[in-house]
Amino acid sequence: MQRIEEPRREDRTRRDGTSACRIACAALRPLARLAGGVCGAQIFASVATREKHVALTVDDGPDPATTPELLRVLRSYGARATFFLIGERAQCHPDLVRRIVADGHEVANHLMREEASVLLPATEFQRQLAQVHELLTPFGDVAFFRPGSGLFTVRMLREAARQGYGCAMGSPLLLVTEYKNPRATGRLLARRAHPGAIIVVHEGRESRVAVSAVAHSLLAGLTERHLRSVTLSELTAKRPNPDHSCR
């Protein structure tokens, strides 16, 4: 009789991490459907797709301390990402915004400052969303926004939908802001990723310079699993049945 070998610990960890991510995203579907139905907005935390694609998203740039090396790493893997840019930083570094777009990446709206968007008065949220849109559209189409600190209200979603935006969150268990062990962090993200996942990393300050090492480890792991990083627009365009839900 042929002996069935026990799966390696690494293989079990990868499956367990991926399954946990899928389950957590499924638990968000009712909330996303409810919020999307109420305000007419599209809310993305992951996307149903038959392709082995994920979306790597990068918050809080651009910054000379982090963006150039991150772009180099992405280029080395032939990966595309979506950069959620802070308006004030885009104003200070338009050359970096141009480099992001020239490398085939997508830019998206993260409002004017690195702060909790949910705390902004309604008129200020509306103003900042429109202001950053005006700053970024000369560089290309801008289809997505992400609220600062990841919290939103129905009012915010309604205003974003009125201005033509989809709200892009991140898949559960696939968001990191600090990098104490960059290589391990990247490997963990790669193990947890699954087709249609939206991964969130952060740059925008010197304390996050290790984001490029995280990206290197992440993209190496994704390559091993035959997963490819694409922009959010590419990922969402491949939905078989578009709706307002977290898929």
Side-chain angles (χ1 to χ4, degrees), residues 89-153:
R89 294 171 183 166
Q91 280 182 316
C92 292
H93 306 292
D95 56 321
L96 291 178
V97 182
R98 279 191 289 271
R99 288 175 62 180
I100 289 169
V101 174
D103 276 7
H105 306 296
E106 179 176 33
V107 294
N109 194 328
H110 207 27
L111 284 82
M112 279 301 293
R113 289 178 288 277
E114 189 177 350
E115 61 188 356
S117 306
V118 74
L119 300 179
L120 296 174
T123 54
E124 178 63 10
F125 174 79
Q126 178 182 356
R127 185 192 70 79
Q128 287 197 27
L129 194 67
Q131 184 179 4
V132 176
H133 185 80
E134 291 300 316
L135 284 170
L136 297 182
T137 49
F139 300 96
D141 294 336
V142 186
F144 300 97
F145 100 100
R146 177 173 289 155
S149 299
L151 300 175
F152 58 81
T153 64

Side-chain angles (χ1 to χ4, degrees), residues 7 58 85 114 126-127 150 154 157 186 201:
V58 185
L85 302 181
E114 189 177 350
Q126 178 182 356
R127 185 192 70 79
V154 170
L157 293 177
V201 299

Side-chain angles (χ1 to χ4, degrees), residues 165-192:
Y165 278 104
C167 179
M169 307 303 290
S171 298
L173 307 178
L174 288 175
L175 179 150
V176 290
T177 58
E178 303 296 336
Y179 315 115
K180 294 181 180 179
N181 189 332
R183 292 181 180 177
T185 298
R187 288 195 298 269
L188 180 62
L189 291 173
R191 286 198 300 269
R192 289 176 174 175

